[in-house]
Amino acid sequence: MNPTDEQQAAADAFHAGHHLALQAGAGTGKTTTLAQLAHAATRRGRYLAFNRATAQDATARFPRNVLCKTAHALSYAAIGHRYARRLNAPRRPAWQTGQELGITKALRIGERDLSQKTLSNTTLRTVARFCHTADPTISDRHVPHLRGLEDRTLHAQLAAYIAPFARKAWDDLQRPEHGLVRFDHDHYLKLWALTEPKIDTDFLLLDEAQDTNPVLEQIFLNQRQHTQLVMVGDSAQAIYRWRGAKDIMTGFDGTQLILTQSFRFGPDLAEEANRWLAIAGAPIRLTGTNSVPTEIGPLTRPDAILCRTNIGAIAQVMNLLAAGQRVALVGGGDNLRALAMAARDLKDGRRTTHPELVLFLSWGDLQDYAAYDPAGRDLQSLVDLVDTHGTDAILSAVAHLIPENQAQVTVSTVHKAKGREWASVKIAEDFTPPKDSDQHDDTGRPVPGPIDEDEARLAYVAVTRARHRFDVGGLSWIHDHPQGNPLSALACTA
């Protein structure tokens, strides 16, 4: 296939030796473009993939002069293999590890009692968060915030207690032969990063650069002095900031180029996507492909239904099962099962170890927190679902899930749908519009509040998963919102 003008511009910059950041919109063929660059090069290259499946796919598409690996595979070859014995250690409860680290009793902070189990879990989560950063040592800032301890002073008390145990755990993890803490793959990646490794290659390609965690960013950027850096991604699809990921594209010191011709869908869907790109402040706007028309309208039997939240996904699953359909859930039901079991524990008067609900003493305690505490509003949908259907019904729904290749419809959260596409897609109803502002238009109606940029990015990912048919469903409110309807915005300011 002949390259587009944008793909040719990327090729020219690459062959001129420029460090390059390539903003590639949804469906614009970013991997195809990288493969074109690599096939035209005689130099040695490496491609850093987001996961193993992507690396395997790239190996089949890239020439032999380009080695396609994940960062974990590179770090295992360099240093991780020394810890092979520890990688296969049996799983054990966090409270046992905590006890051996010296966490032997409960702790009271404010009005919350933190059990030995909670303190142990928080310690290990602190180490995990540290491993995703570029920081050389563990500090208070790596200690996660717990529900019910959002106050800065209370969190400082928690961090002061947890950080020393986390540092002790990290010291333990640096022993190759044996230790108290279970060793995993992120540990050897962090250990490798701390050695300031040099990757021996002529050019280095980084995929999904908009969702790079700081430890990988550090490794990648440190190669700048001896190799050509090329990153590709879509800043508008940066939807993992909540777990520490970082968009390293927009501030990259190099040639900035774009791919805007989407080969996945037609002009009508590109127009829908561009509404959200504008709100997200994205540097690109998409053009659809005329030969791939995408119809927009109601769907009764979509191939996929995309949800905003895990709770929205299980609600969809339960409705579809009740209608007699065969249903799959992208990523499986483990997260939903864990939430339902945690809710059941609380309803039965037991404490739970689920990290989201660990500080609540009872179901009533969680109900009050979700209803009256601003920090707990996102849990209200879980409370409503459990109070309406009960935990047994939720667990039964999860148990009836089947593989995607056997399902009539696939349900997914948008986060799990990233990188996927289906012939027909419907947006679920848990994408709610922003609350009205305190301003009113000329007719006296409240003016809708502004749309959060993170929510706009999430909506953009959701909208761009369809190829042939798309039902805007729970995002249809965007057509009446001033930010999503330029003519309406002009009328409001006239």
Side-chain angles (χ1 to χ4, degrees), residues 188-467:
Y188 65 71
L189 177 62
K190 179 63 176 178
L191 288 168
W192 184 53
L194 290 171
T195 68
E196 299 183 357
K198 178 180 179 180
I199 300 175
D200 184 21
T201 188
D202 296 321
F203 61 89
L204 185 60
L205 310 175
L206 176 65
D207 202 357
E208 299 289 350
Q210 80 283 345
D211 282 322
T212 303
N213 64 33
V215 68
L216 181 54
E217 175 192 14
Q218 179 188 47
I219 293 169
F220 180 77
L221 295 181
N222 282 351
Q223 313 307 313
R224 185 183 186 93
Q225 297 305 315
H226 69 274
T227 192
Q228 181 186 10
L229 301 182
V230 178
M231 60 175 66
V232 64
D234 184 354
S235 291
Q237 294 192 52
I239 60 174
Y240 286 105
R241 291 198 295 185
W242 55 275
R243 71 179 190 189
K246 180 181 178 183
D247 174 19
I248 67 172
M249 299 194 67
T250 52
F252 181 63
D253 182 14
T255 301
Q256 299 273 344
L257 295 175
I258 58 175
L259 297 178
T260 62
Q261 175 67 56
S262 181
F263 303 100
R264 179 181 298 161
F265 43 74
D268 289 345
L269 190 53
E271 183 179 344
E272 285 294 319
N274 288 338
R275 296 180 195 270
W276 297 104
L277 287 170
I279 298 167
I284 62 172
R285 299 293 182 270
L286 294 178
T287 301
T289 298
N290 290 323
S291 60
V292 188
T294 307
E295 297 180 15
I296 297 179
L299 284 169
T300 56
R301 293 277 180 156
D303 294 311
I305 299 177
L306 304 186
C307 306
R308 170 68 181 80
T309 64
N310 280 315
I311 304 306
I314 190 58
Q316 283 290 333
V317 167
M318 294 176 73
N319 290 337
L320 291 164
L321 288 173
Q325 295 200 50
R326 299 190 305 275
V327 185
L329 181 68
V330 173
D334 288 347
N335 290 336
L336 298 173
R337 185 183 297 108
L339 272 172
M341 293 181 70
R344 185 171 64 183
D345 285 342
L346 290 175
K347 288 178 72 70
D348 291 343
R350 297 188 299 270
R351 297 286 290 269
T352 177
T353 57
H354 194 287
E356 283 292 294
L357 310 178
V358 70
L359 291 186
F360 299 102
L361 299 174
S362 66
W363 185 248
D365 192 17
L366 176 58
Q367 287 174 315
D368 289 344
Y369 177 81
Y372 303 116
D373 193 317
R377 286 175 182 164
D378 61 317
L379 291 175
Q380 188 62 56
S381 56
L382 170 65
V383 170
D384 292 341
L385 189 70
V386 171
D387 286 343
T388 302
H389 299 283
T391 55
D392 288 345
I394 297 172
L395 291 169
S396 175
V398 171
H400 282 86
L401 294 169
I402 61 175
E404 286 188 56
N405 60 1
Q406 301 172 24
Q408 293 171 296
V409 59
T410 296
V411 176
S412 179
T413 63
V414 179
H415 287 94
K416 292 287 179 60
K418 188 169 176 291
R420 301 284 305 272
E421 59 182 69
W422 291 270
S424 63
V425 171
K426 181 176 182 177
I427 303 299
E429 296 300 322
D430 61 342
F431 287 84
T432 55
K435 293 183 177 180
D436 290 337
S437 69
D438 56 3
Q439 298 178 344
H440 294 77
D441 62 20
D442 294 340
T443 66
R445 292 181 301 179
V447 175
I451 300 171
D452 181 80
E453 286 190 8
D454 286 339
E455 293 298 314
R457 281 188 281 270
L458 200 64
Y460 163 67
V461 174
V463 165
T464 54
R465 299 307 97 195
R467 295 194 301 270

Side-chain angles (χ1 to χ4, degrees), residues 26-172:
T28 57
K30 63 184 177 66
T31 305
T32 298
T33 302
L34 290 180
Q36 289 174 346
L37 303 185
H39 276 286
T42 57
R43 299 173 293 154
R44 296 173 306 134
R46 286 184 182 264
Y47 168 85
L48 287 181
F50 193 68
N51 54 43
R52 184 184 298 179
T54 303
Q56 291 172 341
D57 177 66
T59 297
R61 301 174 66 176
F62 281 70
R64 292 183 179 181
N65 58 299
V66 178
L67 185 64
C68 303
K69 297 285 186 180
T70 64
H72 284 90
L74 291 182
S75 59
Y76 183 84
I79 199 171
H81 65 277
R82 303 176 195 170
Y83 297 83
R85 293 182 183 178
R86 293 192 64 175
L87 274 171
N88 297 319
R91 294 185 179 275
R92 60 194 307 220
W95 68 265
Q96 290 184 359
T97 302
Q99 193 171 58
E100 293 184 358
L101 289 171
I103 304 173
T104 57
K105 58 184 180 180
L107 176 70
R108 186 171 182 82
I109 297 180
E111 298 180 357
R112 297 286 183 182
D113 290 315
L114 283 71
S115 68
Q116 188 265 355
K117 287 184 178 180
T118 297
L119 295 170
S120 300
N121 286 336
T122 305
T123 297
L124 297 183
R125 288 174 63 200
T126 299
V127 175
R129 286 163 59 93
F130 162 69
C131 287
H132 294 155
T133 72
D135 301 331
T137 57
I138 292 176
S139 67
D140 290 0
R141 81 181 196 90
H142 301 119
V143 178
H145 288 76
L146 300 183
R147 298 255 189 197
L149 292 181
E150 289 89 354
D151 179 83
R152 183 178 298 178
T153 301
L154 297 179
H155 179 72
Q157 294 178 42
L158 174 68
Y161 181 86
I162 293 293
F165 288 110
R167 285 190 281 268
K168 185 176 181 180
W170 180 242
D171 289 341
D172 174 89

